[in-house]
Structure formats: C-alpha cells, structure tokens
Amino acid sequence: MLEVSGLGCLRGERRLFAGVSFSLRPGGLIWIQGGNGSGKTTLLRTLCGLTPAMAGEVRWGGEPIRKLGEDYRRELTYIGHANGLKEDLSAAENLLAAAHLAGQQASRAEVAGALQGIGLAGREHLPVKFLSQGQRRRAALARLRLAHSRTLWLLDEPFNALDAHAVAGMRHIMEQHLAQGGMIALTTHQEVAIQATDAQALRLDEGSAG
Amino acid sequence: MMRTLRYIVSRDVLLAMRRRADVATTLFFFVIVASLFPLGVGPDPKLLRAMAPGILWVAALLASMLSLGRLFAADYADGSLEQLVLAPDPLAVVVIGKVLAHWLVSGLPLVLISPVIALQFDLPAEAIATLLLALLLGTPLLSLIGAIGAALTVGVRGGGVLVSLLVLPLYVPVLIFGAGAVDASASGMDAGGHLSILGALLLLGMALAPWATSAALRISLE
C-alpha cells in the first residue's frame, strides 16, 4: 500500500503544492490533475523517490521509501515525460535493455510480443530515431506489458502523442494491471475512462488541499 | 548485480559502436594533439625525448576529458538516466558499468595507439613499455574521476567548460605520476615506484569515485 501524508514541494522560491495526502490500495488508481506547472510531474517524481519531499512523507507498506531504497524501486515502474529510449537502438533493443535493467527476465520473444501488442509490429528492429513521436511513446509504454509483476505504476502523461487506437490499448493494459491487484498513479490531460474499482482524483491547483 | 553491470556495459558499448564517429573523434584528437608538438618544436631528438612523457600524458588527459560529455549527458537528455537511477540495483553499480564502458571505448583505444605515437618522440623501447603500462593504470582513473565531474554538471548549460574546470585539477596526480613513470624509465631509472602509486590511486578511485558519482547524479536529477 502506498501512503502519502502531508506531502509538500518547493520549486525554487515557489510553493508547488503542500499538504497532499492520499493512500493507494491494491487495485487502486489515482488520477493526478492540474494545470500546466501545477506540480504533477514533481509529485510523481517525489512518489518514485527521484525528488526528495520538502515536507511530509511517502510510505510503502508502512515504511518510508527513503529507508526502503532498492526494495521500493523493485516494486515500481516509472514512465516519465521523456521516453527514456536510445535513438540509436531499435525498439526491441531498448525494451530488452530496460527489462534487464529493471531486473526482469525477458526473452526476445516476450519483447517482440510486447511490441506487437502495442502496435509496433514490423517496426521492432528500426532504430528509434526513425520512429514518429507516437510510435516512440508506444515503444516506451511497451515496458508496461512486461511489468505486471511491478505493483506500482507511476505514469506521467502516458497518453501523450498516442492515437485513439493506442489509447484504447493502453487502457486495456492498465485495467488488466488493476484487476491483478496493481496500483497506478497517473497524470493526464486527456479524458480516458479507465475501469477501476477504487478510483480517486487529486487536483493540485485547488488550494492543494488534496 | 553482476548481471546489471554486464547489461550496462554491453548497452553502452553497443551504443558507442552505433556512433563510431564519437569514438574516433577522441582517438584522433589524441593522435593530432600529440603529433602537433614534434611539428611545432622541431626535430631535435633530445628535446623531443625530454618532452615526450608530459606531452603524451597531457594529450591523454585532454582526450579523456573531451569524451566526458557523453558519459551522462545523452542519458539525461532522453530520460534514460531517470530509469538508471530507479533501477533496483545500487546506483554505484550502474555508475561502475557506465565508467567501464566509457573506458573501453575512449580510454583503451588510446592506450593501444600510444606506442605508435611514442615513436614520433624517439622514446626507447623500455620507456614505451612503461608508457603503455602507466596509461593502462591511469586512463581508467581518468574515467573514474571524470565521471564525478560529468555527474555534477549533467543538465547544466555550458557544462562542457565547467567539467574541465572541475576535473582537470583532479587529474594532476595522475599526470604527475604517469609522466613521472615514463620519465624515470626513459632516463634508465626504475619506474616501479611511480607505477605503484598510480595503481594505488586507481584502487582508491575505484573504491570512492562510484559513490561520489552516484551522489552527484542524485543531486543533479532532483
């Protein structure tokens, strides 16, 4: 279980948000909303431990994530604004490297399957620099198809640059993950109806009450 | 852990092979800088022999620094650095992998070509062997120290100049003992002492630099 209590963050001199509290149970989905610059990305980065919290605490299973370190990182998958793809490698090579780095045993067949499932069939072996923006996003999101064993997904604008078909595919992957007891925190500007038994929304720019 | 190390090294070496021009730039920079001196100071063999250790080491230092920008900057720009930091392995392991790969593609070729360059300076065979050994001990140390500077300046605009200001002073011990070893050997003395100190520095660097680099990376990513 992910618990966030009284989380606050400064960016330079400006207070981005303060007093953000919520908890996420297995099967839970939290939708982080807010205008541009309201601190959505910073909140996600704080949740995965990249940015230290100025106030408050993030706990995983009752333990602060700072203390858990690698044990916490083993539970989460973060897909940021940047795709984290190497331009000179193909989508398949990128995905294989990402899976290995995350400590997952992925075979070439699984990688090919994940890329086909996300609509990159026939493009797997093309260097990423020849892919379009939407295809790159798909290649980055293909990691999720191999990451069902990771409980917590933190997704920053996952639907950016995706077409309607790919959005539907992503929605399906996320629903599957939630049904298996996974947890998802995501930010998005798009209205996507994800079926979840336990869905909540968090608006960051409304007085940051949480 | 060893598996992660291997994946990182093979990923970075593969990436370097896809961009061979970058690797070649470092190597040619070393060759050209070291070759400019004989052309500039004239063909007096005695003078060249005396200057050779210093020139070769300074050229190696500059070449190594030239390639530091690539160590973390590209990973930072495309977001893979975040993924590396979030990997379920200690960040120091990731750093060791990246530094090792950096040395394999920018340090090792330089070591291997150095005997050919040394011929221009009329160094005796024994001094060339010492040069090879000293570079073999010293260039990994340059990559280790350089990684700290590269990690501190990742994401900073104009980081390239800043990294040279940060890193070059730290290279001084490597320069002194590296050039000292070749100097000693060229004048018929035993280079063992200098090489031992270089080896000790390398061990110290291997023990401390990955931790310093990981701490710097975490700060840079905040």
Side-chain angles (χ1 to χ4, degrees), chain A residues 11 45 48 52 73-74 78 84-86 88 93 100-102 105 143, chain B residues 3 7 15 18-19 75 78 80 82-89 221-222:
Chain A
R11 233 344 162 220
R45 289 173 65 90
C48 62
R73 298 208 292 273
R74 203 165 285 126
Y78 170 70
L85 299 170
K86 287 287 170 205
D88 294 304
E93 286 167 330
H100 282 155
L101 185 66
Q105 288 308 314
R143 280 177 45 211
Chain B
R3 195 179 284 147
Y7 287 136
L15 273 170
R18 296 273 159 92
R19 279 183 178 262
D75 281 341
D78 63 23
S80 6
E82 288 172 352
Q83 299 298 339
L84 291 174
V85 171
L86 288 176
D89 280 294
L221 275 179
E222 277 177 18

PDB file of all heavy atoms in Angstrom, chain A residues 11 45 48 52 73-74 78 84-86 88 93 100-102 105 143, chain B residues 3 7 15 18-19 75 78 80 82-89 221-222:
ATOM      1  N   ARG A  11       9.547  24.608  -5.659  1.00  0.00           N
ATOM      2  CA  ARG A  11      10.363  24.645  -6.876  1.00  0.00           C
ATOM      3  C   ARG A  11      11.002  26.021  -6.886  1.00  0.00           C
ATOM      4  O   ARG A  11      10.290  27.001  -7.114  1.00  0.00           O
ATOM      5  CB  ARG A  11       9.470  24.443  -8.098  1.00  0.00           C
ATOM      6  CG  ARG A  11       9.782  23.372  -9.109  1.00  0.00           C
ATOM      7  CD  ARG A  11      11.038  22.783  -9.118  1.00  0.00           C
ATOM      8  NE  ARG A  11      11.342  21.525  -9.770  1.00  0.00           N
ATOM      9  CZ  ARG A  11      12.148  20.666  -9.201  1.00  0.00           C
ATOM     10  NH1 ARG A  11      12.591  20.856  -7.981  1.00  0.00           N
ATOM     11  NH2 ARG A  11      12.528  19.605  -9.846  1.00  0.00           N
ATOM     12  N   ARG A  45       7.511  12.433  -9.474  1.00  0.00           N
ATOM     13  CA  ARG A  45       8.945  12.198  -9.219  1.00  0.00           C
ATOM     14  C   ARG A  45       9.209  12.040  -7.726  1.00  0.00           C
ATOM     15  O   ARG A  45      10.100  11.300  -7.327  1.00  0.00           O
ATOM     16  CB  ARG A  45       9.787  13.345  -9.791  1.00  0.00           C
ATOM     17  CG  ARG A  45       9.824  13.349 -11.311  1.00  0.00           C
ATOM     18  CD  ARG A  45      10.537  14.594 -11.823  1.00  0.00           C
ATOM     19  NE  ARG A  45      11.931  14.619 -11.447  1.00  0.00           N
ATOM     20  CZ  ARG A  45      12.906  14.118 -12.168  1.00  0.00           C
ATOM     21  NH1 ARG A  45      12.644  13.562 -13.312  1.00  0.00           N
ATOM     22  NH2 ARG A  45      14.150  14.188 -11.750  1.00  0.00           N
ATOM     23  N   CYS A  48       8.245   8.516  -6.753  1.00  0.00           N
ATOM     24  CA  CYS A  48       9.177   7.440  -7.067  1.00  0.00           C
ATOM     25  C   CYS A  48      10.536   7.667  -6.411  1.00  0.00           C
ATOM     26  O   CYS A  48      11.409   6.820  -6.516  1.00  0.00           O
ATOM     27  CB  CYS A  48       9.289   7.189  -8.564  1.00  0.00           C
ATOM     28  SG  CYS A  48       9.890   8.511  -9.533  1.00  0.00           S
ATOM     29  N   PRO A  52      13.409  14.577  -3.545  1.00  0.00           N
ATOM     30  CA  PRO A  52      13.083  14.419  -2.127  1.00  0.00           C
ATOM     31  C   PRO A  52      11.941  15.350  -1.736  1.00  0.00           C
ATOM     32  O   PRO A  52      11.813  16.449  -2.275  1.00  0.00           O
ATOM     33  CB  PRO A  52      14.379  14.793  -1.413  1.00  0.00           C
ATOM     34  CG  PRO A  52      15.138  15.609  -2.382  1.00  0.00           C
ATOM     35  CD  PRO A  52      14.706  15.232  -3.750  1.00  0.00           C
ATOM     36  N   ARG A  73      12.205   0.437  -5.097  1.00  0.00           N
ATOM     37  CA  ARG A  73      12.406   0.591  -6.545  1.00  0.00           C
ATOM     38  C   ARG A  73      12.086  -0.701  -7.293  1.00  0.00           C
ATOM     39  O   ARG A  73      11.735  -0.686  -8.465  1.00  0.00           O
ATOM     40  CB  ARG A  73      13.842   1.028  -6.829  1.00  0.00           C
ATOM     41  CG  ARG A  73      14.184   2.372  -6.212  1.00  0.00           C
ATOM     42  CD  ARG A  73      15.261   3.089  -6.986  1.00  0.00           C
ATOM     43  NE  ARG A  73      16.561   2.465  -6.923  1.00  0.00           N
ATOM     44  CZ  ARG A  73      17.446   2.711  -5.958  1.00  0.00           C
ATOM     45  NH1 ARG A  73      17.149   3.544  -4.988  1.00  0.00           N
ATOM     46  NH2 ARG A  73      18.616   2.126  -5.966  1.00  0.00           N
ATOM     47  N   ARG A  74      12.215  -1.839  -6.580  1.00  0.00           N
ATOM     48  CA  ARG A  74      11.905  -3.115  -7.213  1.00  0.00           C
ATOM     49  C   ARG A  74      10.397  -3.265  -7.436  1.00  0.00           C
ATOM     50  O   ARG A  74       9.970  -4.103  -8.207  1.00  0.00           O
ATOM     51  CB  ARG A  74      12.436  -4.260  -6.320  1.00  0.00           C
ATOM     52  CG  ARG A  74      12.677  -5.539  -7.059  1.00  0.00           C
ATOM     53  CD  ARG A  74      13.526  -6.482  -6.235  1.00  0.00           C
ATOM     54  NE  ARG A  74      14.920  -6.085  -6.217  1.00  0.00           N
ATOM     55  CZ  ARG A  74      15.633  -5.892  -5.114  1.00  0.00           C
ATOM     56  NH1 ARG A  74      15.116  -6.091  -3.949  1.00  0.00           N
ATOM     57  NH2 ARG A  74      16.902  -5.524  -5.187  1.00  0.00           N
ATOM     58  N   TYR A  78       8.283   3.462 -13.453  1.00  0.00           N
ATOM     59  CA  TYR A  78       8.018   4.876 -13.708  1.00  0.00           C
ATOM     60  C   TYR A  78       8.229   5.154 -15.184  1.00  0.00           C
ATOM     61  O   TYR A  78       9.263   4.793 -15.741  1.00  0.00           O
ATOM     62  CB  TYR A  78       8.968   5.725 -12.848  1.00  0.00           C
ATOM     63  CG  TYR A  78       8.983   7.200 -13.182  1.00  0.00           C
ATOM     64  CD1 TYR A  78       7.893   8.004 -12.904  1.00  0.00           C
ATOM     65  CD2 TYR A  78      10.104   7.780 -13.759  1.00  0.00           C
ATOM     66  CE1 TYR A  78       7.914   9.356 -13.205  1.00  0.00           C
ATOM     67  CE2 TYR A  78      10.136   9.136 -14.059  1.00  0.00           C
ATOM     68  CZ  TYR A  78       9.033   9.920 -13.775  1.00  0.00           C
ATOM     69  OH  TYR A  78       9.061  11.263 -14.070  1.00  0.00           O
ATOM     70  N   GLY A  84      12.865   7.860 -22.431  1.00  0.00           N
ATOM     71  CA  GLY A  84      13.948   7.004 -21.962  1.00  0.00           C
ATOM     72  C   GLY A  84      14.386   5.985 -23.000  1.00  0.00           C
ATOM     73  O   GLY A  84      14.792   4.887 -22.661  1.00  0.00           O
ATOM     74  N   LEU A  85      14.273   6.370 -24.267  1.00  0.00           N
ATOM     75  CA  LEU A  85      14.693   5.461 -25.338  1.00  0.00           C
ATOM     76  C   LEU A  85      15.994   5.969 -25.934  1.00  0.00           C
ATOM     77  O   LEU A  85      16.211   7.167 -26.018  1.00  0.00           O
ATOM     78  CB  LEU A  85      13.636   5.415 -26.442  1.00  0.00           C
ATOM     79  CG  LEU A  85      12.242   4.925 -26.066  1.00  0.00           C
ATOM     80  CD1 LEU A  85      11.277   5.179 -27.219  1.00  0.00           C
ATOM     81  CD2 LEU A  85      12.268   3.458 -25.716  1.00  0.00           C
ATOM     82  N   LYS A  86      16.834   5.025 -26.345  1.00  0.00           N
ATOM     83  CA  LYS A  86      18.077   5.398 -27.016  1.00  0.00           C
ATOM     84  C   LYS A  86      17.805   5.469 -28.516  1.00  0.00           C
ATOM     85  O   LYS A  86      17.370   4.492 -29.115  1.00  0.00           O
ATOM     86  CB  LYS A  86      19.154   4.344 -26.717  1.00  0.00           C
ATOM     87  CG  LYS A  86      19.655   4.429 -25.300  1.00  0.00           C
ATOM     88  CD  LYS A  86      20.489   5.629 -25.231  1.00  0.00           C
ATOM     89  CE  LYS A  86      20.948   6.131 -23.966  1.00  0.00           C
ATOM     90  NZ  LYS A  86      21.253   7.515 -23.930  1.00  0.00           N
ATOM     91  N   ASP A  88      19.675   5.443 -31.060  1.00  0.00           N
ATOM     92  CA  ASP A  88      20.461   4.599 -31.961  1.00  0.00           C
ATOM     93  C   ASP A  88      20.127   3.117 -31.828  1.00  0.00           C
ATOM     94  O   ASP A  88      20.602   2.302 -32.594  1.00  0.00           O
ATOM     95  CB  ASP A  88      21.954   4.798 -31.710  1.00  0.00           C
ATOM     96  CG  ASP A  88      22.379   6.198 -32.075  1.00  0.00           C
ATOM     97  OD1 ASP A  88      22.137   6.589 -33.219  1.00  0.00           O
ATOM     98  OD2 ASP A  88      22.932   6.895 -31.215  1.00  0.00           O
ATOM     99  N   GLU A  93      15.648  -3.560 -28.888  1.00  0.00           N
ATOM    100  CA  GLU A  93      16.867  -3.464 -28.058  1.00  0.00           C
ATOM    101  C   GLU A  93      16.633  -2.584 -26.847  1.00  0.00           C
ATOM    102  O   GLU A  93      17.083  -2.885 -25.735  1.00  0.00           O
ATOM    103  CB  GLU A  93      18.027  -2.905 -28.888  1.00  0.00           C
ATOM    104  CG  GLU A  93      18.595  -3.883 -29.881  1.00  0.00           C
ATOM    105  CD  GLU A  93      19.506  -3.226 -30.902  1.00  0.00           C
ATOM    106  OE1 GLU A  93      19.293  -2.031 -31.234  1.00  0.00           O
ATOM    107  OE2 GLU A  93      20.406  -3.897 -31.384  1.00  0.00           O
ATOM    108  N   HIS A 100      16.003  -5.727 -18.634  1.00  0.00           N
ATOM    109  CA  HIS A 100      17.168  -6.257 -17.916  1.00  0.00           C
ATOM    110  C   HIS A 100      17.563  -5.342 -16.777  1.00  0.00           C
ATOM    111  O   HIS A 100      17.870  -5.794 -15.679  1.00  0.00           O
ATOM    112  CB  HIS A 100      18.343  -6.425 -18.881  1.00  0.00           C
ATOM    113  CG  HIS A 100      18.215  -7.632 -19.731  1.00  0.00           C
ATOM    114  ND1 HIS A 100      18.824  -7.749 -20.954  1.00  0.00           N
ATOM    115  CD2 HIS A 100      17.533  -8.774 -19.544  1.00  0.00           C
ATOM    116  CE1 HIS A 100      18.521  -8.923 -21.481  1.00  0.00           C
ATOM    117  NE2 HIS A 100      17.741  -9.564 -20.644  1.00  0.00           N
ATOM    118  N   LEU A 101      17.544  -4.044 -17.056  1.00  0.00           N
ATOM    119  CA  LEU A 101      17.925  -3.078 -16.040  1.00  0.00           C
ATOM    120  C   LEU A 101      16.973  -3.152 -14.850  1.00  0.00           C
ATOM    121  O   LEU A 101      17.374  -3.023 -13.698  1.00  0.00           O
ATOM    122  CB  LEU A 101      17.905  -1.673 -16.644  1.00  0.00           C
ATOM    123  CG  LEU A 101      18.394  -0.570 -15.723  1.00  0.00           C
ATOM    124  CD1 LEU A 101      19.863  -0.750 -15.433  1.00  0.00           C
ATOM    125  CD2 LEU A 101      18.140   0.781 -16.334  1.00  0.00           C
ATOM    126  N   ALA A 102      15.701  -3.402 -15.155  1.00  0.00           N
ATOM    127  CA  ALA A 102      14.701  -3.472 -14.095  1.00  0.00           C
ATOM    128  C   ALA A 102      14.756  -4.824 -13.382  1.00  0.00           C
ATOM    129  O   ALA A 102      13.952  -5.085 -12.502  1.00  0.00           O
ATOM    130  CB  ALA A 102      13.314  -3.235 -14.675  1.00  0.00           C
ATOM    131  N   GLN A 105      13.485 -10.877 -16.185  1.00  0.00           N
ATOM    132  CA  GLN A 105      13.989 -11.812 -17.174  1.00  0.00           C
ATOM    133  C   GLN A 105      13.045 -11.787 -18.368  1.00  0.00           C
ATOM    134  O   GLN A 105      11.957 -12.323 -18.316  1.00  0.00           O
ATOM    135  CB  GLN A 105      14.063 -13.218 -16.582  1.00  0.00           C
ATOM    136  CG  GLN A 105      15.174 -13.390 -15.573  1.00  0.00           C
ATOM    137  CD  GLN A 105      16.521 -12.946 -16.112  1.00  0.00           C
ATOM    138  OE1 GLN A 105      16.882 -13.292 -17.237  1.00  0.00           O
ATOM    139  NE2 GLN A 105      17.258 -12.172 -15.342  1.00  0.00           N
ATOM    140  N   ARG A 143       7.048  -1.181 -22.160  1.00  0.00           N
ATOM    141  CA  ARG A 143       7.648  -1.674 -20.916  1.00  0.00           C
ATOM    142  C   ARG A 143       6.577  -2.159 -19.952  1.00  0.00           C
ATOM    143  O   ARG A 143       6.789  -3.093 -19.185  1.00  0.00           O
ATOM    144  CB  ARG A 143       8.448  -0.556 -20.235  1.00  0.00           C
ATOM    145  CG  ARG A 143       9.809  -0.367 -20.849  1.00  0.00           C
ATOM    146  CD  ARG A 143      10.534   0.782 -20.216  1.00  0.00           C
ATOM    147  NE  ARG A 143      10.421   0.759 -18.777  1.00  0.00           N
ATOM    148  CZ  ARG A 143      10.416   1.851 -18.015  1.00  0.00           C
ATOM    149  NH1 ARG A 143      10.516   3.028 -18.574  1.00  0.00           N
ATOM    150  NH2 ARG A 143      10.331   1.745 -16.731  1.00  0.00           N
TER     151      ARG A 143
ATOM    152  N   ARG B   3      25.040  -9.084 -13.184  1.00  0.00           N
ATOM    153  CA  ARG B   3      24.280  -9.123 -14.429  1.00  0.00           C
ATOM    154  C   ARG B   3      23.951  -7.700 -14.886  1.00  0.00           C
ATOM    155  O   ARG B   3      24.119  -7.366 -16.059  1.00  0.00           O
ATOM    156  CB  ARG B   3      22.999  -9.926 -14.200  1.00  0.00           C
ATOM    157  CG  ARG B   3      22.339 -10.323 -15.492  1.00  0.00           C
ATOM    158  CD  ARG B   3      21.087 -11.126 -15.246  1.00  0.00           C
ATOM    159  NE  ARG B   3      21.355 -12.486 -14.846  1.00  0.00           N
ATOM    160  CZ  ARG B   3      20.577 -13.178 -14.002  1.00  0.00           C
ATOM    161  NH1 ARG B   3      19.534 -12.603 -13.474  1.00  0.00           N
ATOM    162  NH2 ARG B   3      20.864 -14.412 -13.711  1.00  0.00           N
ATOM    163  N   TYR B   7      24.961  -5.852 -18.361  1.00  0.00           N
ATOM    164  CA  TYR B   7      23.994  -5.248 -19.276  1.00  0.00           C
ATOM    165  C   TYR B   7      24.339  -3.803 -19.581  1.00  0.00           C
ATOM    166  O   TYR B   7      24.245  -3.361 -20.711  1.00  0.00           O
ATOM    167  CB  TYR B   7      22.587  -5.324 -18.684  1.00  0.00           C
ATOM    168  CG  TYR B   7      22.006  -6.709 -18.700  1.00  0.00           C
ATOM    169  CD1 TYR B   7      21.332  -7.212 -17.604  1.00  0.00           C
ATOM    170  CD2 TYR B   7      22.135  -7.517 -19.825  1.00  0.00           C
ATOM    171  CE1 TYR B   7      20.810  -8.487 -17.609  1.00  0.00           C
ATOM    172  CE2 TYR B   7      21.628  -8.793 -19.841  1.00  0.00           C
ATOM    173  CZ  TYR B   7      20.956  -9.279 -18.734  1.00  0.00           C
ATOM    174  OH  TYR B   7      20.449 -10.531 -18.744  1.00  0.00           O
ATOM    175  N   LEU B  15      25.965   1.075 -27.985  1.00  0.00           N
ATOM    176  CA  LEU B  15      25.621   2.437 -28.391  1.00  0.00           C
ATOM    177  C   LEU B  15      26.816   3.137 -29.028  1.00  0.00           C
ATOM    178  O   LEU B  15      26.680   3.843 -30.025  1.00  0.00           O
ATOM    179  CB  LEU B  15      25.160   3.238 -27.175  1.00  0.00           C
ATOM    180  CG  LEU B  15      23.684   3.133 -26.822  1.00  0.00           C
ATOM    181  CD1 LEU B  15      23.414   3.760 -25.489  1.00  0.00           C
ATOM    182  CD2 LEU B  15      22.848   3.799 -27.901  1.00  0.00           C
ATOM    183  N   ARG B  18      27.351   2.039 -32.477  1.00  0.00           N
ATOM    184  CA  ARG B  18      26.403   2.637 -33.423  1.00  0.00           C
ATOM    185  C   ARG B  18      26.828   4.063 -33.787  1.00  0.00           C
ATOM    186  O   ARG B  18      26.372   4.617 -34.769  1.00  0.00           O
ATOM    187  CB  ARG B  18      24.998   2.670 -32.817  1.00  0.00           C
ATOM    188  CG  ARG B  18      24.388   1.326 -32.535  1.00  0.00           C
ATOM    189  CD  ARG B  18      23.653   0.771 -33.737  1.00  0.00           C
ATOM    190  NE  ARG B  18      23.505  -0.666 -33.629  1.00  0.00           N
ATOM    191  CZ  ARG B  18      22.448  -1.279 -33.084  1.00  0.00           C
ATOM    192  NH1 ARG B  18      21.455  -0.565 -32.646  1.00  0.00           N
ATOM    193  NH2 ARG B  18      22.404  -2.582 -33.001  1.00  0.00           N
ATOM    194  N   ARG B  19      27.631   4.654 -32.934  1.00  0.00           N
ATOM    195  CA  ARG B  19      28.098   6.026 -33.189  1.00  0.00           C
ATOM    196  C   ARG B  19      29.616   6.027 -33.185  1.00  0.00           C
ATOM    197  O   ARG B  19      30.240   6.628 -32.327  1.00  0.00           O
ATOM    198  CB  ARG B  19      27.605   6.959 -32.081  1.00  0.00           C
ATOM    199  CG  ARG B  19      26.203   7.409 -32.270  1.00  0.00           C
ATOM    200  CD  ARG B  19      25.827   8.371 -31.177  1.00  0.00           C
ATOM    201  NE  ARG B  19      24.468   8.840 -31.385  1.00  0.00           N
ATOM    202  CZ  ARG B  19      24.174  10.002 -31.963  1.00  0.00           C
ATOM    203  NH1 ARG B  19      25.115  10.829 -32.326  1.00  0.00           N
ATOM    204  NH2 ARG B  19      22.923  10.355 -32.131  1.00  0.00           N
ATOM    205  N   ASP B  75      22.114  10.344 -21.761  1.00  0.00           N
ATOM    206  CA  ASP B  75      21.144   9.616 -20.938  1.00  0.00           C
ATOM    207  C   ASP B  75      20.222  10.576 -20.208  1.00  0.00           C
ATOM    208  O   ASP B  75      19.047  10.288 -19.991  1.00  0.00           O
ATOM    209  CB  ASP B  75      21.864   8.739 -19.899  1.00  0.00           C
ATOM    210  CG  ASP B  75      22.391   7.464 -20.522  1.00  0.00           C
ATOM    211  OD1 ASP B  75      21.908   7.101 -21.598  1.00  0.00           O
ATOM    212  OD2 ASP B  75      23.281   6.841 -19.924  1.00  0.00           O
ATOM    213  N   ASP B  78      17.558  12.093 -22.842  1.00  0.00           N
ATOM    214  CA  ASP B  78      16.447  11.257 -23.337  1.00  0.00           C
ATOM    215  C   ASP B  78      15.701  10.540 -22.215  1.00  0.00           C
ATOM    216  O   ASP B  78      14.816   9.730 -22.484  1.00  0.00           O
ATOM    217  CB  ASP B  78      16.940  10.271 -24.413  1.00  0.00           C
ATOM    218  CG  ASP B  78      17.948   9.282 -23.874  1.00  0.00           C
ATOM    219  OD1 ASP B  78      17.959   9.047 -22.659  1.00  0.00           O
ATOM    220  OD2 ASP B  78      18.717   8.725 -24.677  1.00  0.00           O
ATOM    221  N   SER B  80      16.753   8.351 -20.039  1.00  0.00           N
ATOM    222  CA  SER B  80      17.190   7.030 -19.559  1.00  0.00           C
ATOM    223  C   SER B  80      17.932   7.124 -18.233  1.00  0.00           C
ATOM    224  O   SER B  80      18.018   6.141 -17.513  1.00  0.00           O
ATOM    225  CB  SER B  80      18.048   6.277 -20.574  1.00  0.00           C
ATOM    226  OG  SER B  80      18.359   7.023 -21.673  1.00  0.00           O
ATOM    227  N   GLU B  82      16.999   8.758 -15.607  1.00  0.00           N
ATOM    228  CA  GLU B  82      15.996   8.533 -14.558  1.00  0.00           C
ATOM    229  C   GLU B  82      15.778   7.040 -14.359  1.00  0.00           C
ATOM    230  O   GLU B  82      15.699   6.552 -13.234  1.00  0.00           O
ATOM    231  CB  GLU B  82      14.657   9.156 -14.963  1.00  0.00           C
ATOM    232  CG  GLU B  82      14.650  10.661 -14.919  1.00  0.00           C
ATOM    233  CD  GLU B  82      13.368  11.243 -15.502  1.00  0.00           C
ATOM    234  OE1 GLU B  82      12.570  10.468 -16.060  1.00  0.00           O
ATOM    235  OE2 GLU B  82      13.184  12.456 -15.389  1.00  0.00           O
ATOM    236  N   GLN B  83      15.693   6.320 -15.478  1.00  0.00           N
ATOM    237  CA  GLN B  83      15.455   4.880 -15.384  1.00  0.00           C
ATOM    238  C   GLN B  83      16.640   4.175 -14.743  1.00  0.00           C
ATOM    239  O   GLN B  83      16.471   3.222 -13.994  1.00  0.00           O
ATOM    240  CB  GLN B  83      15.174   4.291 -16.774  1.00  0.00           C
ATOM    241  CG  GLN B  83      13.946   4.876 -17.456  1.00  0.00           C
ATOM    242  CD  GLN B  83      12.660   4.607 -16.676  1.00  0.00           C
ATOM    243  OE1 GLN B  83      12.592   3.693 -15.867  1.00  0.00           O
ATOM    244  NE2 GLN B  83      11.651   5.429 -16.895  1.00  0.00           N
ATOM    245  N   LEU B  84      17.856   4.658 -15.045  1.00  0.00           N
ATOM    246  CA  LEU B  84      19.052   4.050 -14.448  1.00  0.00           C
ATOM    247  C   LEU B  84      19.046   4.266 -12.938  1.00  0.00           C
ATOM    248  O   LEU B  84      19.390   3.372 -12.164  1.00  0.00           O
ATOM    249  CB  LEU B  84      20.323   4.653 -15.046  1.00  0.00           C
ATOM    250  CG  LEU B  84      20.635   4.316 -16.510  1.00  0.00           C
ATOM    251  CD1 LEU B  84      21.841   5.094 -16.998  1.00  0.00           C
ATOM    252  CD2 LEU B  84      20.876   2.838 -16.688  1.00  0.00           C
ATOM    253  N   VAL B  85      18.642   5.472 -12.524  1.00  0.00           N
ATOM    254  CA  VAL B  85      18.624   5.788 -11.094  1.00  0.00           C
ATOM    255  C   VAL B  85      17.547   4.978 -10.379  1.00  0.00           C
ATOM    256  O   VAL B  85      17.706   4.595  -9.225  1.00  0.00           O
ATOM    257  CB  VAL B  85      18.416   7.307 -10.889  1.00  0.00           C
ATOM    258  CG1 VAL B  85      18.185   7.644  -9.433  1.00  0.00           C
ATOM    259  CG2 VAL B  85      19.622   8.072 -11.402  1.00  0.00           C
ATOM    260  N   LEU B  86      16.452   4.686 -11.103  1.00  0.00           N
ATOM    261  CA  LEU B  86      15.340   3.961 -10.480  1.00  0.00           C
ATOM    262  C   LEU B  86      15.516   2.439 -10.550  1.00  0.00           C
ATOM    263  O   LEU B  86      14.666   1.701 -10.084  1.00  0.00           O
ATOM    264  CB  LEU B  86      14.028   4.345 -11.153  1.00  0.00           C
ATOM    265  CG  LEU B  86      13.514   5.752 -10.831  1.00  0.00           C
ATOM    266  CD1 LEU B  86      12.269   6.051 -11.630  1.00  0.00           C
ATOM    267  CD2 LEU B  86      13.224   5.897  -9.349  1.00  0.00           C
ATOM    268  N   ALA B  87      16.611   1.984 -11.148  1.00  0.00           N
ATOM    269  CA  ALA B  87      16.831   0.541 -11.247  1.00  0.00           C
ATOM    270  C   ALA B  87      16.985  -0.049  -9.843  1.00  0.00           C
ATOM    271  O   ALA B  87      17.498   0.612  -8.948  1.00  0.00           O
ATOM    272  CB  ALA B  87      18.088   0.265 -12.071  1.00  0.00           C
ATOM    273  N   PRO B  88      16.512  -1.281  -9.671  1.00  0.00           N
ATOM    274  CA  PRO B  88      16.567  -1.874  -8.333  1.00  0.00           C
ATOM    275  C   PRO B  88      17.957  -2.372  -7.944  1.00  0.00           C
ATOM    276  O   PRO B  88      18.074  -3.337  -7.207  1.00  0.00           O
ATOM    277  CB  PRO B  88      15.569  -3.033  -8.431  1.00  0.00           C
ATOM    278  CG  PRO B  88      15.543  -3.394  -9.853  1.00  0.00           C
ATOM    279  CD  PRO B  88      15.814  -2.149 -10.623  1.00  0.00           C
ATOM    280  N   ASP B  89      18.985  -1.750  -8.433  1.00  0.00           N
ATOM    281  CA  ASP B  89      20.355  -2.069  -8.031  1.00  0.00           C
ATOM    282  C   ASP B  89      20.975  -0.811  -7.476  1.00  0.00           C
ATOM    283  O   ASP B  89      20.552   0.287  -7.813  1.00  0.00           O
ATOM    284  CB  ASP B  89      21.167  -2.542  -9.239  1.00  0.00           C
ATOM    285  CG  ASP B  89      20.881  -3.989  -9.562  1.00  0.00           C
ATOM    286  OD1 ASP B  89      21.217  -4.846  -8.745  1.00  0.00           O
ATOM    287  OD2 ASP B  89      20.311  -4.240 -10.634  1.00  0.00           O
ATOM    288  N   LEU B 221      19.649  15.122 -10.533  1.00  0.00           N
ATOM    289  CA  LEU B 221      18.330  14.731 -11.030  1.00  0.00           C
ATOM    290  C   LEU B 221      17.188  15.332 -10.220  1.00  0.00           C
ATOM    291  O   LEU B 221      16.051  15.298 -10.642  1.00  0.00           O
ATOM    292  CB  LEU B 221      18.196  13.211 -11.035  1.00  0.00           C
ATOM    293  CG  LEU B 221      18.740  12.519 -12.272  1.00  0.00           C
ATOM    294  CD1 LEU B 221      18.576  11.032 -12.169  1.00  0.00           C
ATOM    295  CD2 LEU B 221      18.048  13.030 -13.527  1.00  0.00           C
ATOM    296  N   GLU B 222      17.487  15.851  -9.035  1.00  0.00           N
ATOM    297  CA  GLU B 222      16.415  16.441  -8.221  1.00  0.00           C
ATOM    298  C   GLU B 222      15.748  17.554  -8.981  1.00  0.00           C
ATOM    299  O   GLU B 222      14.631  17.797  -8.977  1.00  0.00           O
ATOM    300  CB  GLU B 222      16.980  17.012  -6.925  1.00  0.00           C
ATOM    301  CG  GLU B 222      17.139  15.949  -5.858  1.00  0.00           C
ATOM    302  CD  GLU B 222      17.776  16.514  -4.604  1.00  0.00           C
ATOM    303  OE1 GLU B 222      17.773  17.738  -4.440  1.00  0.00           O
ATOM    304  OE2 GLU B 222      18.277  15.724  -3.800  1.00  0.00           O
TER     305      GLU B 222
END
